[in-house]
Amino acid sequence: MSGRPEVSVVVVAHRARELLVQCLESLQHARIAHEAIVVDDGSGDGTPEAVRSRFPAAQLVVKEESEGLAAGRNSALPLVNGRLGLMLDSDTRGRRGALEAMASALDSAPEVGLVGPKLIYPDGEVQPSCRRFPSPLIPILRRWPAVRIAPESRAHRRHMMLDFDHASERPVVYVMGAAQMWRAELPRLIGPYDEKVSSYGGEDLDWCLRVWAAGLEVRYTPQAVVVHDWQRVVHHGRGWDRHAIRAARDFYYLQWKHRSLRRDPRLGGLD
């Protein structure tokens, strides 16, 4: 590929070699000029060798040890050459036209700083991917024993936007980090990913809230469809293991960091 790409696609992979290969293969049908940037987050599963063999044009960053998703994405930001950036999880596969639809959504609306596509499971079922501002009670309601009493509390359903059919384009507080597209200048405007968010998750909420704080909008764009091979098994009822405690710590850190946005009329008007 010659010249500057339209889209720089960044994928951070941790022990997901085969899924990563499928993700990168799905980009080959895109009709928009793009580049792939892969960060191997200390996988130790042959991911670098697979990328070099199957996708020699991809830029590759290899970490000897896992540093987490936020650090992995920050490693890729200086390598972005496209006018647009697209963060994809390694367990995603873009449907035909997905990159083009997200790019069109950004190009047609300068007030929008970030867009997210419709996510679907491999069987085609819609995966709820839009979120409202989370209640401070969410980590408690999604863990034992609360989840045993009320598996789908009102606060949980509201946060997950389970009352929304995911069929129409609209602004939302945030979209899942499995697929997020933004203009290349966005990191210079809002800063890099917050590496204090140490669990795999939470960086998507932080990134989107910083977009809103910068005076821009986050928009859900169902014209773009991305398959997300995300496990539907609900682990929330397991109780408070070290992973749950780590995620809760990140959650409350972000609640404090973005506490002023909870009263922002723009976000309040998205109900």
Side-chain angles (χ1 to χ4, degrees):
M1 180 183 62
S2 59
R4 184 188 184 190
E6 289 288 293
V7 183
S8 295
V9 182
V10 175
V11 187
V12 179
H14 179 66
R15 299 178 182 174
R17 181 183 61 191
E18 299 308 317
L19 286 172
L20 171 65
V21 168
Q22 294 176 36
C23 176
L24 296 177
E25 285 178 340
S26 75
L27 299 175
Q28 296 178 356
H29 59 62
R31 296 183 178 180
I32 188 171
H34 63 278
E35 64 174 354
I37 303 170
V38 176
V39 179
D40 176 45
D41 189 31
S43 299
D45 63 352
T47 290
E49 292 78 11
V51 173
R52 292 188 184 105
S53 173
R54 300 284 298 276
F55 311 98
Q59 298 187 69
L60 181 62
V61 178
V62 179
K63 295 178 179 288
E64 295 301 319
E65 297 181 357
S66 175
E67 298 179 355
L69 185 57
R73 288 179 168 175
N74 282 338
S75 298
L77 291 181
L79 303 178
V80 169
N81 294 312
R83 66 181 187 86
L84 303 171
L86 171 62
M87 288 291 176
L88 286 179
D89 280 359
S90 57
D91 57 356
T92 59
R93 299 184 301 279
R95 287 281 184 88
R96 191 175 299 276
L99 270 66
E100 293 86 342
M102 285 186 277
S104 177
L106 281 172
D107 289 342
S108 63
E111 73 276 11
V112 174
L114 182 149
V115 298
K118 176 189 289 185
L119 297 181
I120 62 173
Y121 292 107
D123 64 4
E125 181 181 342
V126 173
Q127 182 181 122
S129 58
C130 303
R131 303 287 187 268
R132 294 188 177 97
F133 208 110
S135 162
L137 295 176
I138 287 295
I140 298 171
L141 294 173
R142 296 173 70 181
R143 294 285 166 183
W144 185 90
V147 74
R148 303 294 187 186
I149 300 170
E152 286 196 358
S153 67
R154 181 178 178 183
H156 171 69
R157 291 184 61 82
R158 182 182 182 282
H159 167 55
M160 297 286 289
M161 293 184 66
L162 297 182
D163 56 337
F164 173 50
D165 63 8
H166 285 69
S168 57
E169 183 171 305
R170 57 163 292 174
V172 295
V173 174
Y174 75 106
V175 291
M176 284 178 61
Q180 295 181 343
M181 182 179 281
W182 31 264
R183 298 179 188 86
E185 61 267 22
L186 185 67
R188 293 191 290 273
L189 177 65
I190 69 174
Y193 287 87
D194 188 343
E195 296 185 23
K196 291 181 180 178
V197 181
S198 58
S199 58
Y200 263 70
E203 82 296 326
D204 49 3
L205 168 62
D206 178 62
W207 194 249
C208 290
L209 289 181
R210 286 157 65 189
V211 169
W212 282 105
L216 296 169
E217 179 182 294
V218 174
R219 184 170 294 179
Y220 168 71
T221 307
Q223 296 87 346
V225 180
V226 172
V227 179
H228 188 203
D229 195 12
W230 192 49
Q231 293 185 11
R232 296 190 226 193
V233 178
V234 178
H235 298 295
H236 309 313
R238 292 183 306 187
W240 292 93
D241 58 16
R242 63 185 180 89
H243 299 291
I245 293 172
R246 184 179 176 187
R249 179 191 65 195
D250 288 344
F251 177 88
Y252 288 114
Y253 161 66
L254 293 176
Q255 286 273 323
W256 175 256
K257 177 179 179 179
H258 297 292
R259 60 194 182 279
S260 63
L261 283 174
R262 181 173 289 282
R263 299 182 298 274
D264 191 306
R266 297 172 302 158
L267 275 62
L270 298 181
D271 288 348

